[in-house]
Amino acid sequence: MLKSKKNKLSNLFFGIFIVLLIIPQTRQPIQVFLQKGLAMFSPSVEAKADQKQLESYQWKLTDLNGVPYDFKSAEGKVVLINFWATWCPPCIAEMPSLVGLHNDYKGKIEFLFVSNEDKDVVEGFLKKRDFKIKVYQPISSVPEILSTSTIPRTLLISKAGKIVIDKTGASNWNSDTVRETIEVLLQE
């Protein structure tokens, strides 16, 4: 009898959870909450032998104010590129850690937050969360080694153009591992 009540209660909670996932207004907050659990982990640093080489810096972008950015200017610098969108729960979950890293390393490394979304949508997202980052939109093809069909995708690139971290999915970018890796890359 007690087991039957537990099963009924369990089924009721499961049913409510499924209904909440179906409703658009509650689905995204639940997904972001679940992704934040995954975003507690730091991304892995690629073994030196597995690091891919960025061969081309031929990529043109523009910031949300229409100011052009030539990726060629990032050559010889440590670069962090984050492909993201405002509607993407894993992107939303990891964004606070990226913003924290950006706040501490802006001016030391090049940050490229890249989104294909409408300017007004991105600006509204940033304003609502009080994120002070510059977001870019591509105006030419992304170099093939950087291109992605899945977001978020974040890459940390050395001054020599080696892709040191290549992470798809939510992660903790404001971790000791990432910070230590950046410090080493800045010394190279």
Side-chain angles (χ1 to χ4, degrees):
M1 181 84 165
L2 185 60
K3 191 171 186 174
S4 174
K5 283 186 178 185
K6 279 187 178 180
N7 283 342
K8 286 180 183 179
L9 191 58
S10 177
N11 287 341
L12 176 66
F13 283 128
F14 183 72
I16 291 170
F17 181 72
I18 295 299
V19 168
L20 290 174
L21 284 177
I22 293 170
I23 301 169
Q25 292 84 352
T26 56
R27 178 179 45 241
Q28 188 180 52
I30 290 170
Q31 289 173 324
V32 169
F33 175 77
L34 294 173
Q35 289 294 328
K36 282 190 179 189
L38 295 174
M40 291 174 43
F41 300 101
S42 181
S44 300
V45 176
E46 301 283 333
K48 287 229 186 251
D50 296 333
Q51 293 177 2
K52 295 178 183 161
Q53 179 69 45
L54 179 61
E55 300 292 339
S56 171
Y57 284 82
Q58 299 301 316
W59 187 25
K60 306 277 188 206
L61 303 104
T62 182
D63 71 15
L64 296 179
N65 295 317
V67 177
Y69 177 85
D70 189 343
F71 187 52
K72 190 96 172 129
S73 68
E75 195 168 5
K77 298 178 183 177
V78 177
V79 182
L80 187 137
I81 303 172
N82 174 251
F83 295 95
W84 70 286
T86 62
W87 51 262
C88 163
C91 302
I92 296 167
E94 77 172 0
M95 190 57 75
S97 72
L98 282 160
V99 171
L101 187 70
H102 170 268
N103 291 344
D104 290 343
Y105 282 94
K106 65 183 171 194
K108 296 178 184 173
I109 72 172
E110 197 79 8
F111 285 90
L112 295 175
F113 294 95
V114 181
S115 176
N116 285 324
E117 290 182 281
D118 183 67
K119 172 187 174 179
D120 294 335
V121 172
V122 174
E123 286 177 338
F125 176 89
L126 298 175
K127 185 176 182 180
K128 180 179 178 182
R129 288 161 179 81
D130 197 32
F131 290 157
K132 308 274 193 272
I133 58 173
K134 190 178 274 194
V135 175
Y136 297 90
Q137 298 172 316
I139 54 175
S140 71
S141 296
V142 178
E144 189 168 333
I145 197 167
L146 303 177
S147 68
T148 185
S149 60
T150 307
I151 55 174
R153 181 175 182 212
T154 307
L155 304 106
L156 181 63
I157 303 169
S158 74
K159 292 177 185 178
K162 295 284 188 179
I163 299 175
V164 179
I165 298 176
D166 185 348
K167 173 69 172 145
T168 300
S171 204
N172 178 8
W173 289 94
N174 201 13
S175 68
D176 290 342
T177 300
V178 173
R179 288 173 167 275
E180 289 165 8
T181 302
I182 289 172
E183 290 298 330
V184 168
L185 294 175
L186 287 171
Q187 299 305 312
E188 292 180 344

